Amino acid sequence: MLADALRDTLQRLENAANDAGRPCPGLLAVSKLQPAEAVAQLAAAGQRAFGENYVQEAQAKHAALAGVPGLEWHLIGHLQSNKADIAARLFDWVQTVDRIKLVATLARHRPAQLPALNVLIQVNIDDEASKHGCRPEQIDTLADAITAEPRLRLRGLMAIPAPAPDPMQRRQAFQRMKQLFDALTRRYPGLDTLSMGMSDDFPLAVAEGATLVRIGTALFGARPRR
Ligand SMILES: *Cc1c(COP(=O)(O)O)cnc(C)c1O
């Protein structure tokens, strides 16, 4: 069942990329609130990258799936400063770096035996008061701080646009993200990841240049409530 959903989603992703004349983005399977068993099923079907929102839940799932080789764990939920040390040990990627304070803590706690922690800067692209993410003007300062840390590896940007009912509005947010990403890439040519697009809007994000989409519901079905 999950294998079918994975195949369908990968096909839709490929179609969206073909329609847009762009390379096919990577798929991050968002497994928050889903049981470890569901992750194991998707992993058996070939999926490798999984996104989690809550550090404690991710810790438990990580432990439950320790026997499955080659999994890649991304933190996509807001990171509280007092959990940054755990996150630095647990995840392969942290997509939600949005303030200077996190940078030094993540770097300090990244274990020496692990590769550098992959980091995305989360941007509050619609300037929502209730949302996490830095303002676009803060990207350069954060990027400079991250790239100064050998235990961190800056890979690009991430955003969650406002849930606008008007698809054009969301599309414009994706467009602005792509412009910010291109500008940052001119300063740091090694960057390769623009993480945007979820179950209900990923074709728009792909059309605007997403390189990684984060999909939960379309893969796993509706989430149990927290
Ligand atoms: C939950 C979540 C997703 C996945 O959302 P779906 O609509 O279920 O695809 C993607 N990104 C983030 C940051 C999320 O919290």
Side-chain angles (χ1 to χ4, degrees):
M1 296 270 282
L2 283 180
D4 294 338
L6 177 61
R7 198 170 339 98
D8 287 352
T9 303
L10 288 172
Q11 187 62 59
R12 288 174 64 203
L13 199 51
E14 200 180 310
N15 293 347
N18 285 342
D19 290 348
R22 291 188 183 270
C24 195
L27 172 64
L28 182 71
V30 175
S31 47
K32 63 167 173 242
L33 305 182
Q34 302 292 350
E37 173 53 28
V39 174
Q41 277 183 39
L42 269 195
Q47 177 65 24
R48 283 290 161 267
F50 292 89
E52 289 283 337
N53 289 57
Y54 312 105
V55 171
Q56 262 154 346
E57 182 188 339
Q59 253 178 322
K61 240 173 262 185
H62 209 257
L65 294 161
V68 182
L71 295 187
E72 185 181 284
W73 292 98
H74 294 230
L75 179 67
I76 61 171
H78 174 66
L79 180 54
Q80 291 169 277
S81 301
N82 64 2
K83 297 208 174 118
D85 56 335
I86 306 175
R89 294 192 289 269
L90 193 62
F91 289 96
D92 303 295
W93 291 63
V94 173
Q95 297 202 4
T96 50
V97 173
D98 62 356
R99 56 201 190 280
I100 276 293
K101 190 180 171 191
L102 284 177
V103 174
T105 313
L106 287 171
R108 187 164 63 247
H109 291 282
R110 183 64 173 174
Q113 72 275 15
L114 293 180
L117 180 67
N118 297 292
V119 163
L120 300 181
I121 297 171
Q122 182 181 1
V123 183
N124 185 353
I125 192 63
D126 285 314
D127 198 21
E128 294 172 276
S130 61
K131 282 281 175 68
H132 299 293
C134 72
R135 280 181 284 119
E137 313 84 77
Q138 297 170 317
I139 292 175
D140 283 353
T141 307
L142 272 169
D144 290 346
I146 293 164
T147 50
E149 294 285 358
R151 298 306 296 143
L152 305 181
R153 181 174 171 206
L154 181 63
R155 301 292 293 266
L157 301 177
M158 176 272 210
I160 314 167
D166 172 12
M168 268 319 289
Q169 202 173 319
R170 258 196 249 189
R171 182 154 192 165
Q172 283 162 6
F174 292 140
Q175 241 166 40
R176 292 198 302 279
M177 282 303 299
K178 171 71 165 142
Q179 286 161 5
L180 292 170
F181 179 66
D182 288 345
L184 189 60
T185 305
R186 283 192 286 277
R187 292 185 65 216
Y188 295 105
L191 305 187
D192 57 7
T193 305
L194 179 55
S195 167
M196 57 185 194
M198 320 203 309
S199 290
D200 63 351
D201 61 10
F202 74 85
L204 287 178
V206 172
E208 296 303 336
T211 70
L212 182 67
V213 297
R214 310 178 305 263
I215 296 186
T217 310
L219 278 173
F220 293 101
R223 272 182 287 281
R225 297 196 78 86
R226 192 166 188 232

PDB file of all heavy atoms in Angstrom, residues 167-188:
ATOM      1  N   PRO A 167      -3.702  29.931  -5.310  1.00  0.00           N
ATOM      2  CA  PRO A 167      -2.450  29.282  -5.715  1.00  0.00           C
ATOM      3  C   PRO A 167      -1.429  30.275  -6.271  1.00  0.00           C
ATOM      4  O   PRO A 167      -0.228  30.067  -6.125  1.00  0.00           O
ATOM      5  CB  PRO A 167      -2.874  28.296  -6.802  1.00  0.00           C
ATOM      6  CG  PRO A 167      -4.353  28.273  -6.834  1.00  0.00           C
ATOM      7  CD  PRO A 167      -4.879  29.431  -6.042  1.00  0.00           C
ATOM      8  N   MET A 168      -1.892  31.363  -6.891  1.00  0.00           N
ATOM      9  CA  MET A 168      -0.941  32.336  -7.441  1.00  0.00           C
ATOM     10  C   MET A 168      -0.099  32.965  -6.335  1.00  0.00           C
ATOM     11  O   MET A 168       1.072  33.254  -6.513  1.00  0.00           O
ATOM     12  CB  MET A 168      -1.688  33.439  -8.200  1.00  0.00           C
ATOM     13  CG  MET A 168      -1.860  33.162  -9.693  1.00  0.00           C
ATOM     14  SD  MET A 168      -0.393  32.434 -10.474  1.00  0.00           S
ATOM     15  CE  MET A 168       0.706  33.856 -10.434  1.00  0.00           C
ATOM     16  N   GLN A 169      -0.755  33.169  -5.188  1.00  0.00           N
ATOM     17  CA  GLN A 169      -0.037  33.775  -4.068  1.00  0.00           C
ATOM     18  C   GLN A 169       1.082  32.845  -3.588  1.00  0.00           C
ATOM     19  O   GLN A 169       2.192  33.275  -3.298  1.00  0.00           O
ATOM     20  CB  GLN A 169      -1.029  34.029  -2.940  1.00  0.00           C
ATOM     21  CG  GLN A 169      -0.593  35.096  -1.964  1.00  0.00           C
ATOM     22  CD  GLN A 169      -1.714  35.393  -0.972  1.00  0.00           C
ATOM     23  OE1 GLN A 169      -2.893  35.456  -1.355  1.00  0.00           O
ATOM     24  NE2 GLN A 169      -1.373  35.531   0.286  1.00  0.00           N
ATOM     25  N   ARG A 170       0.768  31.562  -3.524  1.00  0.00           N
ATOM     26  CA  ARG A 170       1.789  30.605  -3.109  1.00  0.00           C
ATOM     27  C   ARG A 170       2.893  30.508  -4.144  1.00  0.00           C
ATOM     28  O   ARG A 170       4.071  30.413  -3.833  1.00  0.00           O
ATOM     29  CB  ARG A 170       1.160  29.237  -2.912  1.00  0.00           C
ATOM     30  CG  ARG A 170       0.953  28.968  -1.448  1.00  0.00           C
ATOM     31  CD  ARG A 170       0.715  27.540  -1.190  1.00  0.00           C
ATOM     32  NE  ARG A 170      -0.667  27.376  -0.762  1.00  0.00           N
ATOM     33  CZ  ARG A 170      -1.149  26.250  -0.287  1.00  0.00           C
ATOM     34  NH1 ARG A 170      -0.367  25.185  -0.207  1.00  0.00           N
ATOM     35  NH2 ARG A 170      -2.387  26.165   0.106  1.00  0.00           N
ATOM     36  N   ARG A 171       2.475  30.537  -5.390  1.00  0.00           N
ATOM     37  CA  ARG A 171       3.462  30.453  -6.462  1.00  0.00           C
ATOM     38  C   ARG A 171       4.451  31.611  -6.388  1.00  0.00           C
ATOM     39  O   ARG A 171       5.649  31.456  -6.607  1.00  0.00           O
ATOM     40  CB  ARG A 171       2.728  30.440  -7.805  1.00  0.00           C
ATOM     41  CG  ARG A 171       3.677  30.308  -8.936  1.00  0.00           C
ATOM     42  CD  ARG A 171       3.042  29.689 -10.144  1.00  0.00           C
ATOM     43  NE  ARG A 171       4.114  29.360 -11.067  1.00  0.00           N
ATOM     44  CZ  ARG A 171       4.009  28.572 -12.096  1.00  0.00           C
ATOM     45  NH1 ARG A 171       2.869  27.996 -12.350  1.00  0.00           N
ATOM     46  NH2 ARG A 171       5.042  28.331 -12.868  1.00  0.00           N
ATOM     47  N   GLN A 172       3.914  32.802  -6.054  1.00  0.00           N
ATOM     48  CA  GLN A 172       4.802  33.957  -5.932  1.00  0.00           C
ATOM     49  C   GLN A 172       5.772  33.796  -4.765  1.00  0.00           C
ATOM     50  O   GLN A 172       6.924  34.221  -4.842  1.00  0.00           O
ATOM     51  CB  GLN A 172       3.974  35.233  -5.784  1.00  0.00           C
ATOM     52  CG  GLN A 172       3.401  35.684  -7.113  1.00  0.00           C
ATOM     53  CD  GLN A 172       2.257  36.668  -6.962  1.00  0.00           C
ATOM     54  OE1 GLN A 172       1.960  37.109  -5.848  1.00  0.00           O
ATOM     55  NE2 GLN A 172       1.613  36.998  -8.063  1.00  0.00           N
ATOM     56  N   ALA A 173       5.302  33.174  -3.692  1.00  0.00           N
ATOM     57  CA  ALA A 173       6.206  32.919  -2.565  1.00  0.00           C
ATOM     58  C   ALA A 173       7.323  31.964  -2.996  1.00  0.00           C
ATOM     59  O   ALA A 173       8.497  32.176  -2.667  1.00  0.00           O
ATOM     60  CB  ALA A 173       5.425  32.338  -1.385  1.00  0.00           C
ATOM     61  N   PHE A 174       6.987  30.929  -3.741  1.00  0.00           N
ATOM     62  CA  PHE A 174       8.014  29.999  -4.245  1.00  0.00           C
ATOM     63  C   PHE A 174       8.991  30.730  -5.169  1.00  0.00           C
ATOM     64  O   PHE A 174      10.201  30.481  -5.133  1.00  0.00           O
ATOM     65  CB  PHE A 174       7.358  28.838  -5.001  1.00  0.00           C
ATOM     66  CG  PHE A 174       6.564  27.901  -4.120  1.00  0.00           C
ATOM     67  CD1 PHE A 174       5.351  27.381  -4.557  1.00  0.00           C
ATOM     68  CD2 PHE A 174       7.023  27.514  -2.866  1.00  0.00           C
ATOM     69  CE1 PHE A 174       4.612  26.513  -3.771  1.00  0.00           C
ATOM     70  CE2 PHE A 174       6.295  26.643  -2.068  1.00  0.00           C
ATOM     71  CZ  PHE A 174       5.078  26.141  -2.527  1.00  0.00           C
ATOM     72  N   GLN A 175       8.448  31.628  -5.978  1.00  0.00           N
ATOM     73  CA  GLN A 175       9.289  32.411  -6.889  1.00  0.00           C
ATOM     74  C   GLN A 175      10.292  33.264  -6.115  1.00  0.00           C
ATOM     75  O   GLN A 175      11.468  33.330  -6.464  1.00  0.00           O
ATOM     76  CB  GLN A 175       8.395  33.356  -7.691  1.00  0.00           C
ATOM     77  CG  GLN A 175       8.425  33.152  -9.180  1.00  0.00           C
ATOM     78  CD  GLN A 175       7.264  33.885  -9.841  1.00  0.00           C
ATOM     79  OE1 GLN A 175       6.915  35.006  -9.461  1.00  0.00           O
ATOM     80  NE2 GLN A 175       6.644  33.240 -10.815  1.00  0.00           N
ATOM     81  N   ARG A 176       9.797  33.927  -5.057  1.00  0.00           N
ATOM     82  CA  ARG A 176      10.701  34.765  -4.258  1.00  0.00           C
ATOM     83  C   ARG A 176      11.775  33.907  -3.596  1.00  0.00           C
ATOM     84  O   ARG A 176      12.933  34.315  -3.492  1.00  0.00           O
ATOM     85  CB  ARG A 176       9.905  35.542  -3.191  1.00  0.00           C
ATOM     86  CG  ARG A 176       8.977  36.603  -3.772  1.00  0.00           C
ATOM     87  CD  ARG A 176       8.561  37.622  -2.700  1.00  0.00           C
ATOM     88  NE  ARG A 176       7.896  37.019  -1.549  1.00  0.00           N
ATOM     89  CZ  ARG A 176       6.605  36.669  -1.507  1.00  0.00           C
ATOM     90  NH1 ARG A 176       5.829  36.865  -2.552  1.00  0.00           N
ATOM     91  NH2 ARG A 176       6.086  36.136  -0.419  1.00  0.00           N
ATOM     92  N   MET A 177      11.398  32.701  -3.156  1.00  0.00           N
ATOM     93  CA  MET A 177      12.398  31.808  -2.566  1.00  0.00           C
ATOM     94  C   MET A 177      13.481  31.440  -3.572  1.00  0.00           C
ATOM     95  O   MET A 177      14.660  31.389  -3.238  1.00  0.00           O
ATOM     96  CB  MET A 177      11.720  30.527  -2.043  1.00  0.00           C
ATOM     97  CG  MET A 177      11.014  30.667  -0.722  1.00  0.00           C
ATOM     98  SD  MET A 177      12.079  31.251   0.629  1.00  0.00           S
ATOM     99  CE  MET A 177      13.318  29.957   0.705  1.00  0.00           C
ATOM    100  N   LYS A 178      13.061  31.180  -4.798  1.00  0.00           N
ATOM    101  CA  LYS A 178      14.032  30.812  -5.834  1.00  0.00           C
ATOM    102  C   LYS A 178      14.999  31.974  -6.093  1.00  0.00           C
ATOM    103  O   LYS A 178      16.208  31.771  -6.263  1.00  0.00           O
ATOM    104  CB  LYS A 178      13.276  30.417  -7.103  1.00  0.00           C
ATOM    105  CG  LYS A 178      14.137  30.228  -8.326  1.00  0.00           C
ATOM    106  CD  LYS A 178      14.996  28.976  -8.254  1.00  0.00           C
ATOM    107  CE  LYS A 178      15.553  28.652  -9.644  1.00  0.00           C
ATOM    108  NZ  LYS A 178      16.930  28.161  -9.573  1.00  0.00           N
ATOM    109  N   GLN A 179      14.470  33.200  -6.062  1.00  0.00           N
ATOM    110  CA  GLN A 179      15.351  34.360  -6.260  1.00  0.00           C
ATOM    111  C   GLN A 179      16.352  34.488  -5.117  1.00  0.00           C
ATOM    112  O   GLN A 179      17.536  34.751  -5.337  1.00  0.00           O
ATOM    113  CB  GLN A 179      14.522  35.643  -6.386  1.00  0.00           C
ATOM    114  CG  GLN A 179      13.813  35.754  -7.730  1.00  0.00           C
ATOM    115  CD  GLN A 179      12.649  36.747  -7.710  1.00  0.00           C
ATOM    116  OE1 GLN A 179      12.420  37.425  -6.698  1.00  0.00           O
ATOM    117  NE2 GLN A 179      11.922  36.823  -8.810  1.00  0.00           N
ATOM    118  N   LEU A 180      15.865  34.278  -3.888  1.00  0.00           N
ATOM    119  CA  LEU A 180      16.763  34.351  -2.728  1.00  0.00           C
ATOM    120  C   LEU A 180      17.825  33.253  -2.811  1.00  0.00           C
ATOM    121  O   LEU A 180      18.999  33.459  -2.496  1.00  0.00           O
ATOM    122  CB  LEU A 180      15.962  34.215  -1.430  1.00  0.00           C
ATOM    123  CG  LEU A 180      15.017  35.381  -1.110  1.00  0.00           C
ATOM    124  CD1 LEU A 180      14.100  35.017   0.062  1.00  0.00           C
ATOM    125  CD2 LEU A 180      15.805  36.648  -0.792  1.00  0.00           C
ATOM    126  N   PHE A 181      17.389  32.065  -3.242  1.00  0.00           N
ATOM    127  CA  PHE A 181      18.309  30.929  -3.371  1.00  0.00           C
ATOM    128  C   PHE A 181      19.378  31.221  -4.430  1.00  0.00           C
ATOM    129  O   PHE A 181      20.573  30.986  -4.198  1.00  0.00           O
ATOM    130  CB  PHE A 181      17.517  29.667  -3.728  1.00  0.00           C
ATOM    131  CG  PHE A 181      18.360  28.441  -3.906  1.00  0.00           C
ATOM    132  CD1 PHE A 181      19.048  27.878  -2.830  1.00  0.00           C
ATOM    133  CD2 PHE A 181      18.475  27.825  -5.150  1.00  0.00           C
ATOM    134  CE1 PHE A 181      19.820  26.746  -2.989  1.00  0.00           C
ATOM    135  CE2 PHE A 181      19.243  26.686  -5.318  1.00  0.00           C
ATOM    136  CZ  PHE A 181      19.919  26.139  -4.232  1.00  0.00           C
ATOM    137  N   ASP A 182      18.956  31.759  -5.572  1.00  0.00           N
ATOM    138  CA  ASP A 182      19.927  32.081  -6.622  1.00  0.00           C
ATOM    139  C   ASP A 182      20.927  33.140  -6.149  1.00  0.00           C
ATOM    140  O   ASP A 182      22.123  33.047  -6.431  1.00  0.00           O
ATOM    141  CB  ASP A 182      19.206  32.563  -7.887  1.00  0.00           C
ATOM    142  CG  ASP A 182      18.500  31.423  -8.609  1.00  0.00           C
ATOM    143  OD1 ASP A 182      18.800  30.249  -8.301  1.00  0.00           O
ATOM    144  OD2 ASP A 182      17.645  31.702  -9.469  1.00  0.00           O
ATOM    145  N   ALA A 183      20.430  34.134  -5.416  1.00  0.00           N
ATOM    146  CA  ALA A 183      21.320  35.177  -4.906  1.00  0.00           C
ATOM    147  C   ALA A 183      22.336  34.583  -3.930  1.00  0.00           C
ATOM    148  O   ALA A 183      23.534  34.897  -3.976  1.00  0.00           O
ATOM    149  CB  ALA A 183      20.503  36.273  -4.223  1.00  0.00           C
ATOM    150  N   LEU A 184      21.863  33.689  -3.060  1.00  0.00           N
ATOM    151  CA  LEU A 184      22.768  33.078  -2.089  1.00  0.00           C
ATOM    152  C   LEU A 184      23.781  32.171  -2.780  1.00  0.00           C
ATOM    153  O   LEU A 184      24.945  32.094  -2.379  1.00  0.00           O
ATOM    154  CB  LEU A 184      21.944  32.282  -1.056  1.00  0.00           C
ATOM    155  CG  LEU A 184      22.693  31.758   0.159  1.00  0.00           C
ATOM    156  CD1 LEU A 184      23.315  32.896   0.972  1.00  0.00           C
ATOM    157  CD2 LEU A 184      21.775  30.918   1.044  1.00  0.00           C
ATOM    158  N   THR A 185      23.330  31.496  -3.831  1.00  0.00           N
ATOM    159  CA  THR A 185      24.213  30.605  -4.583  1.00  0.00           C
ATOM    160  C   THR A 185      25.321  31.373  -5.296  1.00  0.00           C
ATOM    161  O   THR A 185      26.407  30.837  -5.514  1.00  0.00           O
ATOM    162  CB  THR A 185      23.381  29.775  -5.587  1.00  0.00           C
ATOM    163  OG1 THR A 185      22.354  29.108  -4.869  1.00  0.00           O
ATOM    164  CG2 THR A 185      24.220  28.742  -6.287  1.00  0.00           C
ATOM    165  N   ARG A 186      25.038  32.627  -5.629  1.00  0.00           N
ATOM    166  CA  ARG A 186      26.112  33.435  -6.228  1.00  0.00           C
ATOM    167  C   ARG A 186      27.206  33.708  -5.198  1.00  0.00           C
ATOM    168  O   ARG A 186      28.382  33.777  -5.541  1.00  0.00           O
ATOM    169  CB  ARG A 186      25.552  34.746  -6.796  1.00  0.00           C
ATOM    170  CG  ARG A 186      24.827  34.524  -8.140  1.00  0.00           C
ATOM    171  CD  ARG A 186      24.510  35.820  -8.862  1.00  0.00           C
ATOM    172  NE  ARG A 186      23.409  36.554  -8.259  1.00  0.00           N
ATOM    173  CZ  ARG A 186      22.114  36.308  -8.507  1.00  0.00           C
ATOM    174  NH1 ARG A 186      21.766  35.323  -9.323  1.00  0.00           N
ATOM    175  NH2 ARG A 186      21.169  37.021  -7.923  1.00  0.00           N
ATOM    176  N   ARG A 187      26.827  33.830  -3.933  1.00  0.00           N
ATOM    177  CA  ARG A 187      27.842  34.053  -2.894  1.00  0.00           C
ATOM    178  C   ARG A 187      28.508  32.744  -2.480  1.00  0.00           C
ATOM    179  O   ARG A 187      29.690  32.706  -2.135  1.00  0.00           O
ATOM    180  CB  ARG A 187      27.205  34.702  -1.656  1.00  0.00           C
ATOM    181  CG  ARG A 187      26.740  36.126  -1.881  1.00  0.00           C
ATOM    182  CD  ARG A 187      26.237  36.733  -0.575  1.00  0.00           C
ATOM    183  NE  ARG A 187      27.288  36.864   0.412  1.00  0.00           N
ATOM    184  CZ  ARG A 187      27.108  36.688   1.720  1.00  0.00           C
ATOM    185  NH1 ARG A 187      25.919  36.367   2.192  1.00  0.00           N
ATOM    186  NH2 ARG A 187      28.102  36.834   2.556  1.00  0.00           N
ATOM    187  N   TYR A 188      27.709  31.675  -2.445  1.00  0.00           N
ATOM    188  CA  TYR A 188      28.218  30.360  -2.026  1.00  0.00           C
ATOM    189  C   TYR A 188      27.880  29.338  -3.102  1.00  0.00           C
ATOM    190  O   TYR A 188      26.848  28.672  -3.031  1.00  0.00           O
ATOM    191  CB  TYR A 188      27.600  29.950  -0.690  1.00  0.00           C
ATOM    192  CG  TYR A 188      28.005  30.845   0.452  1.00  0.00           C
ATOM    193  CD1 TYR A 188      27.130  31.774   0.976  1.00  0.00           C
ATOM    194  CD2 TYR A 188      29.285  30.761   0.988  1.00  0.00           C
ATOM    195  CE1 TYR A 188      27.509  32.605   2.014  1.00  0.00           C
ATOM    196  CE2 TYR A 188      29.678  31.582   2.026  1.00  0.00           C
ATOM    197  CZ  TYR A 188      28.785  32.507   2.537  1.00  0.00           C
ATOM    198  OH  TYR A 188      29.172  33.323   3.561  1.00  0.00           O
TER     199      TYR A 188
END
